[in-house]
Amino acid sequence: MRTRLPAVAGSFYADNEGELRTQIHECFLHRLGPGTVPSVPGEIDESLLGLVVPHAGYEYSGPVAAHSYQRLAVSGPRPSVIILGPNHSGYGSGVSINNTGEWSTPLGEVPVDAEMANRIVKSSGLIDVEDSAHRSEHSIEVQLPFLQFIYPRRFKFVPICMMLQDLETSKDVGEAVAEAVQGNRAIVIASSDWTHYEPQEKAVAKDKLAIQAAVNMDPARFQDTIEEQRVSACGFGPVTALIHAAKILSGNKATVLSYQTSGDVTGDTTAVVGYAALAFTR
């Protein structure tokens, strides 16, 4: 079994188990976090279909991410998690999936759900099975320690890395994911940060428009808003795919769990990055 070693442990998050557990614990209790730490997964709530989660370093976006993972924890255990992330490196195919092996973090190993991954590939005409897109990509990796923290028992996951994020591609991915998760309790996570390196007031205004379009669950309008407002959200394709998948799975509601910027964390509002936690339900 192939093991992908962590690419950003020691930079985006702590590189040893004790420090990492403490770091995640503090994200939940941070003044911008949910304020409580999930103890054990709650009873199964199948109304929750997917979440949007940021992927910056934990010191910046961890408290916002904790809102999504708090919501996931109380919805009960999930046997499989599909994580859609943008491709920051430029390596690999337009859309790349990993369908074998396991990914390692300081909290242990997480196996890839080969059966689920292969179902997604079979349903899509655009997703390629290949590893190069995933080797150094952080947008998917940084979600795993949070998942390991809230799920004390072993779970499986499927990583999908999107270099192409246009509407057609995103809807193809969303449709394939929706078809693959029909009839089970798998959860879909879209990994994205929002506006990058603009003044706080401008970033918040632009992100508010884009997030409202996502909450309205109209994939085309969401992508139009991203383009028209020039919102530099790096994972708009994964978010679009999640919106489309949620609608296919009878999703009819999206909720903003938290929105903050790096400026809210550091106090420097001259050039911020936006972070949002959203939940999609039926």
Side-chain angles (χ1 to χ4, degrees), residues 85-196:
N87 184 323
H88 291 85
S89 71
Y91 294 110
S93 299
V95 183
S96 304
I97 194 168
N98 188 195
N99 71 341
T100 188
E102 61 186 14
W103 287 32
S104 175
T105 82
L107 302 187
E109 286 69 47
V110 184
V112 171
D113 189 338
E115 181 181 352
M116 179 73 73
N118 289 330
R119 287 208 301 267
I120 292 171
V121 172
K122 186 177 180 180
S123 298
S124 168
L126 299 175
I127 301 175
D128 292 324
V129 177
E130 62 94 33
D131 296 335
S132 60
H134 299 279
R135 287 182 190 137
S136 62
E137 180 54 51
H138 66 276
S139 65
I140 295 171
E141 177 185 326
V142 299
Q143 310 305 335
L144 293 179
F146 267 101
L147 288 164
Q148 291 170 298
F149 185 88
I150 67 170
Y151 289 149
R153 295 182 179 179
R154 199 166 172 89
F155 64 94
K156 297 180 180 181
F157 86 114
V158 178
I160 302 176
C161 189
M162 299 178 62
M163 188 184 320
L164 297 178
Q165 300 191 50
D166 59 275
L167 181 61
E168 181 181 354
T169 299
S170 301
K171 290 180 73 172
D172 177 274
V173 172
E175 188 168 339
V177 167
E179 185 173 334
V181 305
Q182 289 275 9
N184 60 51
R185 302 193 312 277
I187 195 77
V188 183
I189 290 174
S191 178
S192 183
D193 296 336
W194 296 76
T195 290
H196 286 67

Side-chain angles (χ1 to χ4, degrees), residues 218-266:
D218 183 338
R221 185 62 204 143
F222 171 66
Q223 289 223 345
D224 285 346
T225 302
I226 292 290
E227 182 176 356
E228 291 165 3
Q229 300 298 323
R230 298 185 179 180
V231 180
S232 52
C234 51
F236 67 91
V239 174
T240 305
L242 171 56
I243 294 169
H244 190 58
K247 292 183 71 172
I248 293 171
L249 295 168
S250 302
N252 56 16
K253 183 179 181 182
T255 304
V256 180
L257 304 175
S258 178
Y259 172 81
Q260 307 290 340
T261 73
S262 57
D264 295 317
V265 177
T266 67

